[in-house]
Amino acid sequence: MMRIARLETFSNEFVCFVRLTTDTGAVGWGQTSTYNADITATIFHRQVAPWALGADVSDVDALVDRIEEREHKFPGSYRCRAIAGLDTALWDLRGKLEGKPVVELLGGTPRRLRAYASSMKRDITPAEEAARFVRLRDEQGFDAFKWRIGAECGRDVDEWPGRTEAIVPIVARALGPNVAKLVDANSGFSPKRAIEVGRLLEAEGIGHFEEPCPYWKLEETRQVADALAIDVTGGEQDWDLGTWARMIEMRAVDVVQPDIMYMGGLARTLRVVRMAAAAGLPCTPHSANLSLVTICTMHLLGAIPNAGRYLELSIEGPDYYPWQQGLFLGDPFAVRDGQVEIPSGPGWGVEISPVWLDRAAYQVSELTS
Ligand SMILES: [Mg+2]
């Protein structure tokens, strides 16, 4: 039996990497979920590490369950965000021990993956969004794009008046046929307004309508899914497996979108993947930034039978997400012909930049005996 002997974090406000070392000296690298990652690092050392230190590394599911039970008074996002750091480090460790990429541990093989270019911007005009999409289509070969409509938790009030009605046809028509078109409302609409917008989406050839209604109102989302022919999708915020079971059982969405890091790692995400597969639903995970979440999602999509059509790949750069710069050596997100490559090295197959790690806040928890 190999045991967890040391858990180190390297964090700033946005990102927290985890280095796990076993009692035999083997090492795995993971990451907690992004944003408020400094707070997550504190939770990691306070509420995750004490239960993980000394534990056997071979059964991720059992360890994650045990930590959730020990910390059952603290359910929710932060606990999952912190556990994701442990889970992803354990998968990396296992890959390194077996000399295999995680995609192979899951039964797949490293290969090229179609990506959709995912915009994170609402403060962008329809014309500017269309122009940068066309540039990405022509220069990088993307054939799938997602843009934003409505306003985040907007209660039917648009980012500015008329933006949704303008940006849907302008971007859709600029991209032309043979391009998959996706939109995201980020919990912006009532069912009535969502269905009305959905008719416009249907008319303009959009095939994926993400998070039309407040995500916690599953019945409202189901109303929209029932009314529209196009795929209604969602689940990125959800971490609770009971909610997932209900969402899938009631067919609130046509496509499930768990976020590996919000879920608490790969082991818990695989449970959602299996539930969805049993219900005949595809899984197109949420991976909205260029940290380890998108790498982990590549490995997952390369292996699961109900993988959706594409990987979410953020197109935002240093102007919007400066914190994403310089996390990894090389460019694991390089795009060719609209595709990325699942890393083939052991574990996650990426190397975290030593320069970035040097600048991060350091904390350690370790076995004392
Ligand atoms: Mg979304």
Side-chain angles (χ1 to χ4, degrees):
M1 186 172 93
M2 203 180 283
R3 300 195 306 158
I4 300 171
R6 189 182 312 129
L7 290 163
E8 297 159 287
T9 57
F10 304 78
S11 61
N12 63 24
E13 184 187 337
F14 298 96
V15 185
C16 170
F17 288 114
V18 173
R19 178 163 62 194
L20 179 156
T21 306
T22 68
D23 55 0
T24 60
V27 169
W29 283 92
Q31 186 203 291
T32 71
S33 193
T34 44
Y35 299 107
N36 293 319
D38 49 344
I39 297 173
T40 308
T42 299
I43 291 162
F44 180 85
H45 288 285
R46 187 81 58 83
Q47 296 186 284
V48 174
W51 310 118
L53 289 170
D56 178 13
V57 298
S58 64
D59 191 341
V60 183
D61 275 284
L63 180 55
V64 165
D65 281 348
R66 186 174 162 79
I67 294 167
E68 291 200 310
E69 286 164 12
R70 295 296 187 224
E71 295 295 334
H72 69 279
K73 298 280 188 187
F74 296 87
S77 179
Y78 270 110
R79 190 182 70 189
C80 283
R81 285 164 176 265
I83 289 175
L86 175 69
D87 167 291
T88 51
L90 284 167
W91 283 97
D92 186 60
L93 170 75
R94 194 176 142 200
K96 283 172 174 150
L97 290 172
E98 295 187 27
K100 291 178 180 169
V102 173
V103 64
E104 272 183 37
L105 300 178
L106 298 175
T109 40
R111 60 177 171 84
R112 303 185 61 75
L113 262 188
R114 183 189 186 195
Y116 76 79
S118 189
S119 166
M120 300 297 148
K121 292 184 176 176
R122 272 194 175 79
D123 55 351
I124 187 168
T125 66
E128 285 165 343
E129 191 72 298
R132 73 170 178 160
F133 280 7
V134 165
R135 209 163 45 239
L136 286 166
R137 181 195 64 190
D138 296 344
E139 288 173 6
Q140 296 189 42
F142 283 106
D143 68 349
F145 292 84
K146 188 172 86 186
W147 65 99
R148 307 275 167 150
I149 61 171
E152 262 187 90
C153 297
R155 301 182 178 215
D156 289 343
V157 179
D158 220 331
E159 192 73 12
W160 59 77
R163 183 177 180 276
T164 296
E165 278 73 9
I167 200 169
V168 169
I170 287 173
V171 172
R173 293 172 198 184
L175 288 172
N178 310 317
V179 172
K181 303 175 184 80
L182 302 73
V183 297
D184 193 344
N186 294 98
S187 293
F189 301 132
S190 64
K192 181 173 171 289
R193 168 78 173 138
I195 292 165
E196 185 182 291
V197 169
R199 299 288 174 227
L200 173 66
L201 301 178
E202 288 174 343
E204 295 293 339
I206 283 84
H208 166 123
F209 188 4
E210 184 166 320
E211 215 177 310
C213 298
Y215 71 84
W216 57 94
K217 296 182 174 176
L218 297 180
E219 286 76 11
E220 293 194 357
T221 305
R222 177 178 57 182
Q223 251 180 279
V224 180
D226 284 350
L228 299 178
I230 60 176
D231 285 343
V232 168
T233 74
E236 68 185 61
Q237 260 73 236
D238 291 288
W239 58 271
D240 177 66
L241 291 164
T243 303
W244 275 110
R246 198 160 75 83
M247 192 191 315
I248 290 166
E249 215 272 307
M250 75 193 286
R251 297 271 168 167
V253 295
D254 301 301
V255 177
V256 300
Q257 300 186 278
D259 178 304
I260 292 175
M261 298 298 182
Y262 296 170
M263 278 300 304
L266 194 54
R268 293 183 89 255
T269 302
L270 284 167
R271 299 183 199 177
V272 173
V273 166
R274 288 185 209 110
M275 271 193 260
L281 299 182
C283 176
T284 302
H286 176 251
S287 53
N289 63 69
L290 302 182
S291 71
L292 196 67
V293 65
T294 297
I295 301 293
C296 299
T297 305
M298 289 185 205
H299 286 269
L300 178 75
L301 282 175
I304 60 176
N306 55 331
R309 299 188 191 97
Y310 20 55
L311 168 83
E312 175 170 28
L313 189 71
S314 169
I315 57 171
E316 306 306 345
D319 66 314
Y320 218 61
Y321 291 161
W323 60 265
Q324 289 182 163
Q325 300 307 113
L327 295 178
F328 304 106
L329 298 184
D331 181 10
F333 307 106
V335 176
R336 190 159 50 84
D337 299 328
Q339 297 180 321
V340 293
E341 184 110 36
I342 302 170
S344 56
W348 299 119
V350 292
E351 200 164 334
I352 298 159
S353 160
V355 174
W356 191 95
L357 293 171
D358 272 349
R359 292 184 187 140
Y362 176 80
Q363 287 175 267
V364 57
S365 297
E366 55 195 330
L367 277 183
T368 44
S369 54

